[in-house]
Amino acid sequence: MHSITVNLTSNNYPIYIDSGLLEHIGDQIKKIYKGKKIAIITDSNVDKLYGNILETSLSKENFIIKKVVIAPGEKSKSFDTLKYVSEEILGFEITRGDLILTVGGGVVGDLGGFAASILLRGISFIQIPTTLLAQIDSSVGGKVAINSAKGKNLIGSFYQPKAVFIDPSLLKTLSERQFNDGLGEVIKYGAIKDENLFSNLLQYESKEDLLKNIDEIIYTCCNIKARIVEQDEKDLGERMLLNFGHTIGHGIEKQFNYETFTHGESVSIGMCIITKNSERLGITEKGTSELLEKLVKKYNLPCTVPDMNMEQMLKAIKLDKKNINDALNIILIKKIGCGFIKNIAASDIKKYIQCL
Ligand SMILES: NC(=O)c1ccc[n+]([C@@H]2O[C@H](COP(=O)([O-])OP(=O)(O)OC[C@H]3O[C@@H](n4cnc5c(N)ncnc54)[C@H](O)[C@@H]3O)[C@@H](O)[C@H]2O)c1
């Protein structure tokens, strides 16, 4: 079993990575939680696939369980679902000493973590992420949120889990597209921080080959994220590196109403466009954008968008909560494995986001 500790000023928590972990999850939780009650938040897809294994393992340890099942998909990161989940958990007469388990993709983790952060002013929660994106990204770092009509993730908090348990064997039931969606973020980690990860991804001969190394890949990504979050928990500096590809990516998701492209697909397009531009501007080493495009295409991710609306894109970037006054931070790479933050005047953004 791989393990990583996230060391924060207020608390430390472990991330465990092991194929088959879900079957022994009760035993693992017993080691770090001495209470009896556990409220599980999951979605109906994950519940159908893994609900029985989870409940069987928890019941063996005599935990008292309440399962709250939400509809799958981004629409569940809403006030309505938050209300439903909150009332169900309060109806279970949960106390501050009890535990919430979020079992699912980023939607369940974000919504469930946010519920945990506000119910009774904070109940401990454990993340059991079940998509690749959730295993390498959203379950680590404590950003939890729901969406507003004004934009994604605008209502939320920083609330760190008590632990993260990652079972890579759960990824076998993901569709090809969902799996590749997560790979978009894996490629991002390689591009900003780890040339070795990047070149390994280029070298795998098949999905089977990649899957043989998936525990290690997840470990590498979580490690990168953990080290970054340790330096900048509240996303005011170094953590912004994780937004490589996201400035344009968020604009694309918004323009296409979160329907045409998945998050990982939008980020892939964003990484490719911004790197082509930074290479043209002489900031990025020649040949880098070609390598990036090669890798993105290898995993069936897109690198361009046929009809990007520049006006809408600029509007989305302006509304991004990370932008301050007339300056904004964009993330570029000098070469593969070397990401950096560049502060630019808002009026210069067009140079970096045009489709070449
Ligand atoms: N908190 C953060 O730091 C952070 C970072 C990145 C993304 N996010 C958020 O994550 C969300 C996207 O997460 P996601 O891509 O996991 O989406 P998701 O949670 O909607 O899951 C995608 C789909 O996969 C299904 N699913 C989950 N696990 C499965 C499995 N093992 N087998 C088969 N199907 C499975 C789900 O039911 C759902 O239909 C977005 O809301 C995004 O804002 C948060």
Side-chain angles (χ1 to χ4, degrees):
M1 161 139 56
H2 288 290
S3 79
I4 297 168
T5 305
V6 186
N7 297 296
L8 298 168
T9 35
S10 52
N11 66 320
N12 297 342
Y13 63 92
I15 302 169
Y16 299 107
I17 305 158
D18 199 15
S19 285
L21 187 58
L22 192 69
E23 289 187 22
H24 317 284
I25 198 71
D27 182 33
Q28 295 294 330
I29 290 176
K30 191 99 187 167
K31 288 182 192 160
I32 56 170
Y33 169 58
K34 300 301 165 206
K36 277 266 161 253
K37 275 190 176 179
I38 299 181
I40 301 166
I41 305 172
T42 189
D43 77 24
S44 55
N45 291 337
V46 176
D47 186 41
K48 258 183 233 135
L49 289 164
Y50 300 109
N52 276 344
I53 302 177
L54 175 72
E55 285 177 78
T56 305
S57 179
L58 292 174
S59 301
K60 269 192 204 151
E61 305 299 333
N62 299 317
F63 287 119
I64 304 161
I65 303 164
K66 160 82 184 174
K67 191 168 67 179
V68 184
V69 182
I70 63 169
E74 190 66 32
K75 286 204 170 70
S76 283
K77 274 174 65 171
S78 65
F79 276 115
D80 284 351
T81 314
L82 178 68
K83 179 172 185 287
Y84 168 71
V85 166
S86 301
E87 295 295 356
E88 287 292 302
I89 292 178
L90 292 173
F92 181 47
E93 294 181 353
I94 203 159
T95 69
R96 267 200 202 151
D98 296 327
L99 181 71
I100 291 177
L101 271 191
T102 57
V103 187
V107 165
V108 166
D110 280 14
L111 167 89
F114 184 50
S117 79
I118 55 175
L119 287 173
L120 310 180
R121 298 200 175 83
I123 298 171
S124 293
F125 86 115
I126 286 178
Q127 293 258 28
I128 304 182
T130 62
T131 62
L132 181 57
L133 179 108
Q135 296 193 344
I136 53 132
D137 189 0
S138 62
S139 65
V140 177
K143 278 191 186 176
V144 291
I146 57 167
N147 302 328
S148 138
K150 304 274 187 302
K152 267 190 67 157
N153 298 322
L154 294 182
I155 302 144
S157 34
F158 287 95
Y159 192 65
Q160 302 292 342
K162 189 178 174 67
V164 183
F165 288 100
I166 299 177
D167 181 347
S169 74
L170 308 184
L171 303 179
K172 64 181 183 295
T173 47
L174 284 181
S175 71
E176 190 76 13
R177 191 173 180 202
Q178 275 161 0
F179 186 78
N180 290 344
D181 177 49
L183 282 177
E185 294 282 355
V186 175
I187 294 172
K188 178 198 76 181
Y189 284 113
I192 58 166
K193 276 281 179 196
D194 193 331
E195 194 187 357
N196 199 31
L197 170 66
F198 194 95
S199 61
N200 285 343
L201 290 170
L202 270 176
Q203 274 159 30
Y204 295 129
E205 280 171 7
S206 59
K207 188 175 172 192
E208 287 65 43
D209 199 13
L210 182 146
L211 284 175
K212 275 189 213 144
N213 296 284
I214 195 73
D215 288 28
E216 191 66 35
I217 292 171
I218 293 170
Y219 172 77
T220 305
C221 295
C222 288
N223 213 9
I224 294 172
K225 183 153 185 187
R227 300 294 83 84
I228 290 177
V229 169
E230 280 170 0
Q231 286 179 45
D232 177 26
E233 187 181 349
K234 296 281 160 70
D235 203 6
L236 299 166
E238 172 93 353
R239 189 165 178 170
M240 285 187 237
L241 274 184
L242 297 170
N243 292 332
F244 179 50
H246 286 60
T247 305
I248 296 173
H250 285 156
I252 291 171
E253 281 182 294
K254 203 158 184 202
Q255 185 187 326
F256 292 92
N257 217 11
Y258 300 94
E259 280 162 7
T260 314
F261 297 103
T262 65
H263 180 69
E265 289 167 353
S266 309
V267 167
S268 298
I269 297 170
M271 293 190 289
C272 290
I273 293 180
I274 208 157
T275 305
K276 260 193 170 176
N277 282 302
S278 62
E279 195 173 311
R280 174 182 54 86
L281 294 166
I283 302 169
T284 299
E285 209 172 271
K286 279 218 161 64
T288 307
S289 61
E290 200 181 324
L291 273 178
L292 195 53
E293 275 198 28
K294 189 174 165 193
L295 187 54
V296 159
K297 282 182 184 160
K298 176 173 175 176
Y299 292 106
N300 290 325
L301 289 159
C303 47
T304 51
V305 54
D307 38 12
M308 189 165 94
N309 181 323
M310 191 56 89
E311 283 316 304
Q312 277 187 27
M313 176 65 67
L314 289 169
K315 210 170 147 202
I317 291 171
K318 237 176 113 191
L319 282 177
D320 195 305
K321 60 187 177 299
K322 294 180 184 96
N323 296 332
I324 299 160
N325 302 327
D326 286 338
L328 58 102
N329 291 310
I330 56 169
I331 314 307
L332 305 175
I333 53 175
K334 287 199 182 79
K335 56 179 184 169
I336 299 301
C338 281
F340 69 101
I341 302 165
K342 188 168 172 65
N343 189 262
I344 61 165
S347 54
D348 278 345
I349 187 65
K350 271 191 185 167
K351 283 193 231 164
Y352 294 90
I353 64 171
Q354 55 189 274
C355 288
L356 298 173

